[in-house]
């Protein structure tokens, strides 16, 4: 169960944004996806969710191929995501943003779901504010809530903790862990290493569009290539 | 053979003209990102100024041409950039289009003022009757001149863009304004240049077109819609492809005109002749289908926030009820003539209202509202011989179905391309379908004589429709008085429907889809289905509007549903506030009401001119007048009940005095205007509310002060940091250090 990507390549003109990348994210756990700026993390999310076409490769959701399926149908099949550059419905209120996402639920459950999610991510106080008036950190929480409203089985998060302070981040980590405990597959792109190493069971590392390492958090921390390429450490002489 | 050469030459002449127009349009679009709907109007200005200098004032031809090309063209371009276009930076694509559409209408109105259409204007051919003999065919020099100029312009522009520094700067500005600035290009200088060149090319086309028939501003402006097809074949980017497009289009029209358009003896001539005339528009429609699939768009950052406030039930009910009350009250005051002409107000207001969900909530700028209204009117006339009101439901359903079909063909298109497609649809309907003579539709089982369905269809019969006014359970709306009130009731009901839609989940989805199509799709919602639904809904309402409008006029001719009339309605709604239901009512009254022309007889152009000028100012306030100006001004009034009651009482008393014949109509009108003007300030004084402050630019940006002073003389607040972070889409720097911030 979960998400499986194999052999995905994307080219922008001469640039290999992704080159034969294969990773997976299993249900019930949090998987990290890290890599320096421009490594192709967001591009991979775009391919998975159907926003961007891949030149080759396969995307499997719960063992069904979805790479020829239009974006909205993939979401209906259980794929949810947030965006690095927020994609909120700016002129709607926080509450209405979540309400829109409950479109697939039966009408009778919508109202309750919205209220429950507002509580769960702690947005009750700003429920009636316009989404484009929110700060980045709060906006990210709203995107998460909106995405949860569609009840996904796989959750892709693109730098959800940036723009949040340490206290928020700690609460956010707890929320992620509880989501995974409910059986959701979470794929987390994040630059905050403390967070990634703290919550992720497995981590994939991308560099220049290529997968350079996959393993448990502990293995990745100690992988020499990763330390050189990404964590920016000198190889001990 | 001779015939063939003749048709080829005339096709190439059209091709030359199309090339000049389309290249100018493409140039300004690629370098400034603004699609100039008014380009055709500039062509008309060129043609008329040339006539003014060369014919009316009798200057020698070369001098007249030189004045037009060296003075009129560049000056017009520079003025456009300085006064209008440069303010459009950072506005939505829809706002940009509305502004240039307004310019189109404004320029046409202005031209009708300067050069009244009643006078016939002819321009002699350049190089008179001299001909050159090509393959035994005599070709006038003036034709050769047009063909050669078209070629020269295409080659010249391409050289300019790729071989000169100015051209390279122009292209760089399109790709990345900021980057180009850093490299020493000046975006305002390049914009100025490209508007000057674009407008001069329009004038050039005007001069070349001028001798080819009596001058008519609207015909010229519409003719140029044909050239858009060439520009779209070039994907509004590539000049060589635009040129190829112009040649294909020119030859196609040349042969079609030659082999079909002038042969009354061929079968089906009467059905085909219209098609020949709209052939370029058909090509435009088809070419749009071959554009590359648009990718899912992300959210945009705009200079001015768009607001779409949720209508409240009490507010909407007050509006609906007051519409009916006002209609009942005003009807007895009007003279029979005036009453007859105001009956059309409500039909137009419903058409205006049909644009609120589509253009306002959905952000899809469709420019063919009256086309669906025409369909509604035709249905009612065709099926409703005896005034049976059930046909109104048919009008709504059939118009909605047509809307759904149109949306299917344009569903992949967004923004500008969608608007172009709807314009093409409107022109096709105007100039072909609505002019079709009577025909019989027969559906047969193939290869047999078994007829499943046979129906004689009359559209406008080449003249005017006969639309009966309906009657309900024995209540007839045949008289103007009854019909006026009936229209108000229908309009009031429709406002309730639109308010319900805005308040529903569907309404939320429309706005969500406009704000972020990518966000919408990744939540599992089907954007295409949503677009189709709103298209059908809006077309259905427009069909209803057309049914009411048609019945108001009783014998409408096709030209009351013309593209330009539709444009006035669209612009009026957008100017007044396309997200607001009240604005639609006001737009209907403004466009359909006789008030302005009654007050200023002889200024028939006044409402177009007003719409044009107001629309041009829209760049600064895309939300429109009602939400931005009227609502804040009137908000204090309900909070000072004394003033509200007092004002109403004054109006009611004067009304009854007028009805009793004690006071004249004009006194009543004056009192009404005075009360309306006085109420907001008096209420504010009584309720002790400070006058509304004008919103400063910086605040519109969401910053606490002017950006250039923040951090220097003004402190940067935390809200400013958030705003800036959003704007440049980087995460806000974290106050305490994480291990790896971006
Ligand atoms: N639409 C596009 N057209 C051209 N190049 C693109 C496009 N989208 C991304 N790229 C390029 O592809 C590469 C990968 O980009 P991507 O956004 O996926 O990186 P990322 O790993 O998410 O980086 P970051 O950590 O900065 O978010 C970058 O070099 C980027 O410039
Ligand atoms: Mg990224």
């Amino acid at each position: 169960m979960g998400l499986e990507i194999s052999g995905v390549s994307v080219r922008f003109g001469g640039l290999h944004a992704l080159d034969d990348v294969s990773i997976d994210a299993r249900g019930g756990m949090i998987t990290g996806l890290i890599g320096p700026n421009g490594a192709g993390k967001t591009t991979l999310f775009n391919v998975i969710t159907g926003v961007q076409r891949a030149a080759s490769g396969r995307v499997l959701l719960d063992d069904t191929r979805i790479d020829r399926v239009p974006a909205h149908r993939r979401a209906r099949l259980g794929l949810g995501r947030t965006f690095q550059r927020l994609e909120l419905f700016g002129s709607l209120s926080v509450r209405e943003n979540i309400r829109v996402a409950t479109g697939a639920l039966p009408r009778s459950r919508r109202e309750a779901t919205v209220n429950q999610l507002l509580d769960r991510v702690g947005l009750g106080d700003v429920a009636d504010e316009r989404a484009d008036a929110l700060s980045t950190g709060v906006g990210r929480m709203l995107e998460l809530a909106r995405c949860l409203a569609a009840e996904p089985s796989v959750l892709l998060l693109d730098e959800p903790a940036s723009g949040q302070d340490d206290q928020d981040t700690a609460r956010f980590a707890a929320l992620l862990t509880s989501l995974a405990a409910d059986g959701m597959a979470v794929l987390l792109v994040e630059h905050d290493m403390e967070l990634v190493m703290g919550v992720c069971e497995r981590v994939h590392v991308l560099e220049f569009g290529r997968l350079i390492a996959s393993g448990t958090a502990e293995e990745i921390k100690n992988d020499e290539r990763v330390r050189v390429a990404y964590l920016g450490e000198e190889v001990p002489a | 053979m001779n015939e063939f050469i003749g048709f080829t030459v005339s096709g190439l002449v059209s091709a030359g003209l199309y090339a000049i127009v389309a290249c100018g349009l493409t140039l300004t679009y690629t370098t400034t990102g603004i699609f100039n709907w008014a380009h055709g109007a500039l062509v008309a200005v060129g043609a008329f100024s040339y006539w003014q200098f060369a014919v009316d004032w009798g200057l020698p031809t070369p001098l007249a041409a030189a004045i037009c090309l060296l003075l009129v063209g560049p000056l017009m371009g520079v003025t456009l950039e300085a006064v209008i276009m440069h303010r459009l930076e950072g506005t939505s694509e829809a706002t940009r289009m509305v502004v240039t559409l307004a310019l189109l209408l404004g320029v046409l109105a202005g031209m009708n003022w300067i050069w009244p259409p009643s006078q016939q204007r002819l321009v002699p051919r350049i190089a008179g009757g001299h001909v050159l003999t090509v393959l035994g065919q005599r070709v006038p020099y003036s034709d050769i001149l047009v063909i050669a100029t078209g070629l020269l312009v295409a080659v010249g522009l391409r050289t300019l863009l790729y071989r000169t520094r100015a051209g390279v700067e122009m292209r760089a500005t399109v790709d990345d304004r900021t980057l180009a600035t850093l490299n020493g290009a000046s975006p305002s200088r390049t914009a100025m240049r490209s508007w000057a060149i674009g407008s001069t090319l329009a004038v050039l086309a005007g001069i070349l077109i001028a001798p080819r028939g009596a001058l008519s501003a609207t015909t010229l402006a519409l003719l140029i819609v044909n050239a858009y097809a060439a520009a779209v074949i070039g994907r509004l980017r590539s000049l060589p492809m635009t040129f190829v497009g112009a040649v294909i289009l020119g030859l196609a029209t040349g042969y079609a005109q030659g082999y079909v358009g002038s042969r009354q003896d061929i079968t089906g001539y009467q059905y085909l002749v219209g098609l020949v005339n709209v052939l370029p528009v058909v090509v435009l429609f088809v070419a749009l289908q071959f554009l590359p699939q648009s990718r899912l768009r992300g959210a945009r950052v705009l200079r001015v926030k768009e607001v779409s406030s949720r209508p409240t039930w009490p507010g909407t009910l007050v509006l609906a009820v007051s519409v009916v009350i006002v209609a009942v009250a005003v009807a007895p005051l009007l003279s029979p003539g005036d009453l007859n002409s105001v009956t059309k107000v409500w039909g137009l207001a419903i058409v205006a209202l049909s644009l609120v969900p589509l253009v306002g909530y959905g952000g899809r700028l469709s420019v063919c509202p009256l086309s669906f209204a025409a369909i509604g009117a035709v249905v009612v006339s065709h099926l409703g011989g005896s005034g049976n009101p059930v046909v109104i439901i048919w009008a709504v359903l059939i118009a909605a179905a047509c809307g759904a079909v149109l949306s299917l063909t344009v569903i992949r298109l967004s923004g500008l391309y969608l608007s172009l497609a709807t314009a093409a649809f409107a022109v096709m309907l105007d100039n072909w379908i609505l002019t079709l003579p009577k025909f019989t539709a027969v559906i047969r089982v193939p290869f047999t004589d078994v007829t499943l369905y046979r129906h004689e269809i009359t559209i406008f019969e080449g003249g005017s429709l006969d639309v009966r006014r309906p009657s309900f359970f024995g209540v007839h709306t045949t008289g103007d008085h009854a019909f006026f009130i009936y229209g108000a009731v229908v309009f009031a009901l429709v406002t309730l429907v639109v308010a319900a839609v805005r308040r529903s989940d569907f309404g939320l989805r429309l706005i969500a889809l406009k704000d972020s199509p990518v966000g919408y799709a990744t939540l599992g919602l089907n954007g295409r289905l949503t677009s189709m639904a709103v298209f059908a809904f809006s077309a259905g309402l427009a069909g209803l509007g057309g049914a009411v409008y048609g019945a108001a006029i009783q014998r409408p001719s096709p030209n009351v549903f013309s593209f330009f009339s539709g444009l006035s309605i669209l612009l009026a709604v957008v100017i007044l506030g396309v997200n607001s239901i009240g604005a639609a009512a006001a737009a209907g009254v403004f466009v359909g009401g006789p008030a302005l022309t009654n007050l200023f007889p002889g200024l028939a152009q006044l409402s177009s001119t007003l719409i044009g000028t107001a629309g041009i100012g829209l760049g600064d306030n895309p939300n429109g007048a009602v939400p931005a100006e009227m609502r804040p001004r009137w908000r204090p009034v309900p909070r000072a009940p004394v003033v509200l009651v007092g004002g109403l009482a004054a109006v009611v008393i004067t009304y009854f005095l007028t009805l009793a014949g004690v006071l004249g109509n004009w006194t009543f009108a004056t009192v009404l205007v005075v009360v309306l003007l006085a109420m907001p300030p008096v209420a504010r004084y009584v309720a002790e509310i400070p006058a509304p402050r004008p919103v400063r630019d910086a605040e519109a940006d969401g910053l606490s002060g002017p950006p250039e002073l923040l951090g220097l003389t003004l402190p940067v607040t935390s809200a400013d940091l958030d705003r800036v972070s959003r704007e440049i889409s980087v995460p806000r720097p974290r106050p305490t250090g994480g291990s790896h911030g971006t």
Side-chain angles (χ1 to χ4, degrees):
Chain A
M1 290 303 267
L3 185 70
E4 196 182 322
I5 294 125
S6 58
V8 166
S9 299
V10 172
R11 222 161 297 155
F12 293 119
L15 174 81
H16 285 261
L18 290 174
D19 188 4
D20 196 19
V21 172
S22 305
I23 63 165
D24 60 0
R26 266 174 267 147
M29 68 150 106
I30 306 173
T31 309
L33 176 63
I34 61 173
N37 291 122
K41 306 177 294 291
T42 300
T43 307
L44 185 59
F45 272 19
N46 287 343
V47 168
I48 298 171
T49 50
V51 175
Q52 165 82 48
R53 263 243 163 124
S56 62
R58 310 205 298 170
V59 181
L60 281 90
L61 178 68
D62 298 339
D63 301 322
T64 329
R65 265 192 86 160
I66 57 166
D67 39 87
R68 297 270 163 239
V69 174
H72 71 274
R73 296 252 322 275
R74 297 189 199 196
R76 292 248 158 164
L77 290 172
L79 204 56
R81 85 173 275 191
T82 67
F83 296 83
Q84 179 177 4
R85 190 186 182 285
L86 293 180
E87 291 289 350
L88 293 171
F89 306 133
S91 48
L92 296 181
S93 71
V94 167
R95 180 187 295 281
E96 289 170 329
N97 262 269
I98 305 178
R99 173 86 190 190
V100 168
T102 57
L105 304 182
R107 199 167 280 276
S108 54
R109 275 183 52 208
R110 292 183 189 168
E111 188 68 34
T113 310
V114 172
N115 289 329
Q116 193 188 327
L117 279 166
L118 281 172
D119 271 357
R120 187 162 187 188
V121 299
L123 290 176
D125 297 343
V126 291
D128 293 314
E129 265 176 51
R130 256 177 86 112
D132 58 9
L134 302 176
S135 71
T136 317
V138 180
R140 291 197 187 284
M141 292 314 284
L142 172 56
E143 261 200 2
L144 177 63
R146 196 178 70 173
C147 170
L148 292 176
E151 303 187 340
S153 61
V154 173
L155 187 59
L156 311 177
L157 302 172
D158 202 344
E159 306 200 8
S162 65
Q164 303 197 342
D165 61 30
D166 286 351
Q167 205 185 334
D168 289 340
T169 308
R171 259 200 315 164
F172 177 70
L175 178 61
L176 283 191
T177 320
S178 84
L179 288 173
D182 292 348
M184 204 177 276
V186 180
L187 184 58
L188 174 70
V189 165
E190 188 47 68
H191 284 291
D192 180 344
M193 281 307 121
E194 237 170 274
L195 175 63
V196 172
M197 295 306 173
V199 300
C200 296
E201 268 177 61
R202 289 175 53 80
V203 177
H204 302 285
V205 188
L206 277 180
E207 188 199 21
F208 295 124
R210 267 194 298 273
L211 189 69
I212 58 167
S214 293
T216 63
E218 212 50 39
E219 286 165 4
I220 294 298
K221 251 189 256 179
N222 299 321
D223 187 309
E224 210 146 277
R225 266 182 85 188
V226 176
R227 290 164 71 134
V228 175
Y230 181 55
L231 301 176
E233 288 181 19
E234 294 294 318
V235 184
Chain B
M1 190 61 203
N2 272 351
E3 206 179 35
F4 177 77
I5 294 171
F7 298 156
T8 309
V9 170
S10 68
L12 287 177
V13 169
S14 308
L17 289 171
Y18 291 152
I20 299 170
V21 175
C23 286
L25 189 68
T26 305
L27 175 79
T28 46
Y29 180 65
T30 50
T31 52
T32 64
I34 298 169
F35 182 85
N36 186 12
W37 284 88
H39 198 73
L42 302 188
V43 172
V45 170
F48 277 80
S49 346
Y50 179 64
W51 171 85
Q52 187 69 54
F53 293 121
V55 179
D56 204 25
W57 293 342
L59 299 185
T61 308
L63 182 62
I67 294 177
C68 289
L69 289 175
L70 300 177
L71 276 176
V72 177
L75 264 181
M76 191 160 65
V78 168
T79 315
L80 281 182
E81 158 68 12
V83 179
I84 302 171
M85 304 299 179
H86 85 109
R87 289 189 311 189
L88 295 182
E89 219 193 307
T91 54
S92 70
E93 195 182 20
T95 305
R96 294 169 180 209
M97 284 198 277
V98 168
V99 169
T100 59
L101 283 168
L103 184 66
L104 167 62
L105 213 60
V107 171
L108 286 182
M111 287 182 66
N112 282 348
W113 226 335
I114 304 176
W115 294 291
S118 49
Q119 184 187 348
Q120 198 187 24
R121 295 180 183 79
L122 291 168
V123 175
R125 292 213 166 196
I126 297 169
H130 295 282
V131 293
L132 190 73
T133 310
V134 183
L135 299 170
Q137 186 76 17
R138 293 151 53 86
V139 181
Y141 272 110
S142 56
D143 284 3
I144 295 172
L145 179 72
V146 175
I147 299 171
T149 315
L151 199 62
L152 260 177
V153 163
V155 174
L157 272 188
R158 167 108 185 145
T159 317
L160 171 78
L161 281 185
Y162 285 82
R163 297 268 181 275
T164 66
R165 186 179 158 78
V168 172
E169 271 182 15
M170 278 180 175
R171 288 192 299 132
T173 320
V174 193
D175 294 337
D176 191 328
R177 230 179 152 85
T178 330
L179 195 63
T181 319
L182 292 178
N183 284 319
S186 149
S188 57
R189 190 178 59 212
T190 48
M192 203 64 111
R193 255 185 215 146
S194 89
W195 283 112
I197 298 174
S199 130
T200 307
L201 286 177
V203 170
L204 174 63
I207 295 175
L208 294 174
I209 274 184
R212 294 169 186 275
L215 294 186
S216 148
T218 34
T219 313
L220 282 177
L222 256 188
L223 190 71
I224 301 314
V225 175
N226 297 351
Y228 294 168
V232 168
I233 292 176
R235 301 200 164 160
L236 290 172
R237 257 200 323 263
S238 149
L239 289 171
M241 281 307 290
T242 302
F243 187 75
V244 172
V247 172
I248 296 175
L249 205 63
L251 288 177
T253 38
Y255 296 134
Q257 293 280 9
Y259 287 114
V260 181
S262 50
R263 306 252 170 107
Q264 312 228 355
D265 52 322
I266 59 171
T267 30
Y269 167 79
Q270 65 273 43
Y271 304 108
L272 290 175
V273 63
L275 178 61
V276 168
N277 291 332
V278 298
L279 192 64
V281 188
V282 177
V283 173
L284 170 60
F285 199 80
V286 174
L288 284 167
Q289 308 298 318
F290 288 96
L291 286 173
Q293 182 111 14
S294 60
R295 282 193 49 199
L296 279 171
R297 180 175 59 72
R300 315 141 294 165
V301 178
L302 298 178
R303 183 158 53 86
V304 186
K305 268 184 202 166
E306 285 175 8
V307 291
S308 164
S309 52
R310 193 162 174 237
T312 59
W313 277 125
T316 315
L317 277 173
V318 167
L319 176 71
V321 172
S322 16
V323 160
V324 177
I325 291 179
V326 168
V328 172
V330 165
L333 295 187
L334 295 173
S335 68
D338 283 347
L339 188 60
N340 181 269
S341 64
V342 294
T343 49
K344 26 184 224 293
V345 162
W346 302 120
L348 289 174
I350 297 170
V351 174
L353 198 51
S354 79
L355 291 166
V356 170
L358 182 63
V359 183
Y361 309 154
R364 315 205 140 234
L365 192 68
S366 153
V367 296
C368 59
L370 277 184
S371 305
F372 296 112
I375 293 170
V378 168
V379 170
V380 170
S381 139
H382 195 64
L383 302 179
S386 56
N388 181 352
V390 177
V391 295
I392 294 174
I393 296 170
W394 279 111
V396 172
L397 292 180
I398 293 177
C402 292
V405 171
L406 175 68
S407 84
L408 268 184
T409 63
V410 299
I411 203 85
R412 307 181 318 112
L413 307 173
S414 62
L416 170 62
Y417 296 129
L418 179 80
S419 307
L420 278 172
T422 53
F425 176 72
V427 175
M428 254 190 277
L429 209 71
D430 267 12
N431 293 352
W432 179 33
I433 309 281
L434 296 188
T435 62
L436 281 180
K438 201 181 284 205
F439 60 94
T440 311
V442 180
I443 302 177
R444 267 200 202 111
V445 180
F447 311 114
T448 66
D449 285 339
V450 185
T451 307
L452 293 177
Y453 175 82
R454 185 187 179 89
H455 192 70
E456 191 170 86
I457 297 180
T458 37
I459 301 183
F460 274 81
E461 294 185 78
S464 54
L465 279 181
D466 177 15
V467 187
R468 296 283 165 82
R469 294 180 174 177
S471 50
F472 299 86
F473 311 109
V475 181
H476 296 280
T477 63
T478 323
D480 286 338
H481 192 133
F483 190 82
F484 183 64
I485 294 167
Y486 155 76
V489 172
V490 178
F491 176 76
L493 293 176
V494 178
T495 60
L496 298 181
V497 172
V498 173
V501 163
R502 170 62 182 85
R503 294 175 59 87
S504 70
D505 278 359
F506 178 62
L508 287 185
R509 282 188 208 168
L510 286 179
I511 296 172
L513 178 61
K514 173 172 70 169
D515 282 352
S516 168
V518 158
Y520 195 78
T522 55
L523 291 175
L525 302 165
N526 186 345
R528 291 188 177 178
L529 208 61
T530 311
S531 306
M532 209 170 109
V534 70
F535 245 102
F537 176 63
S538 164
L541 287 188
L544 174 62
V548 176
Y549 183 46
I553 303 180
Q554 289 175 299
R555 296 208 67 86
S557 58
N559 66 349
V560 306
F561 299 106
S562 76
F563 172 61
F564 283 114
S565 314
L567 214 52
S568 328
I569 299 179
L570 170 72
L571 291 175
V573 189
V574 175
I575 291 162
L576 290 163
V578 72
N579 280 305
S580 123
I581 293 175
V589 173
F590 182 75
V591 177
L596 282 172
T597 28
N598 273 6
L599 286 180
F600 309 97
L603 291 190
Q605 303 300 328
L606 193 69
S607 60
S608 299
T609 317
L610 272 180
I611 291 178
T613 12
I616 290 165
L618 201 68
D620 292 329
N621 183 12
N623 285 314
V626 171
E629 312 272 344
M630 314 262 270
R631 261 195 221 132
R633 193 164 306 176
W634 278 79
R635 201 156 285 145
V637 175
R639 282 155 67 185
V642 188
V643 182
L644 187 61
V645 173
L648 282 181
V651 173
V652 170
I653 291 169
T654 340
Y655 171 74
F656 281 109
L657 289 178
T658 315
L659 209 56
V662 181
L663 298 174
N665 284 354
W666 281 109
T667 322
F668 174 65
T670 316
V671 170
L672 189 66
V673 169
V674 169
V675 169
L676 287 181
L677 284 180
M679 249 155 76
V682 174
R684 208 173 294 119
Y685 178 76
V686 172
E688 296 179 341
I689 299 164
R693 264 176 329 126
V695 180
R696 281 181 299 136
D697 268 2
E699 280 171 317
D701 283 343
L703 297 174
S704 63
E708 59 274 20
L709 298 182
L710 285 179
L712 297 174
T713 58
L714 292 173
V716 182
T717 65
S718 140
D720 292 337
L721 276 184
D722 277 328
R723 179 71 205 172
V724 172
S725 313
R726 285 182 71 86
E727 200 72 37
I728 58 180
S729 78
V730 294
R732 186 179 158 188
R734 297 177 52 173
T736 48
S739 45
H740 264 277
T742 1

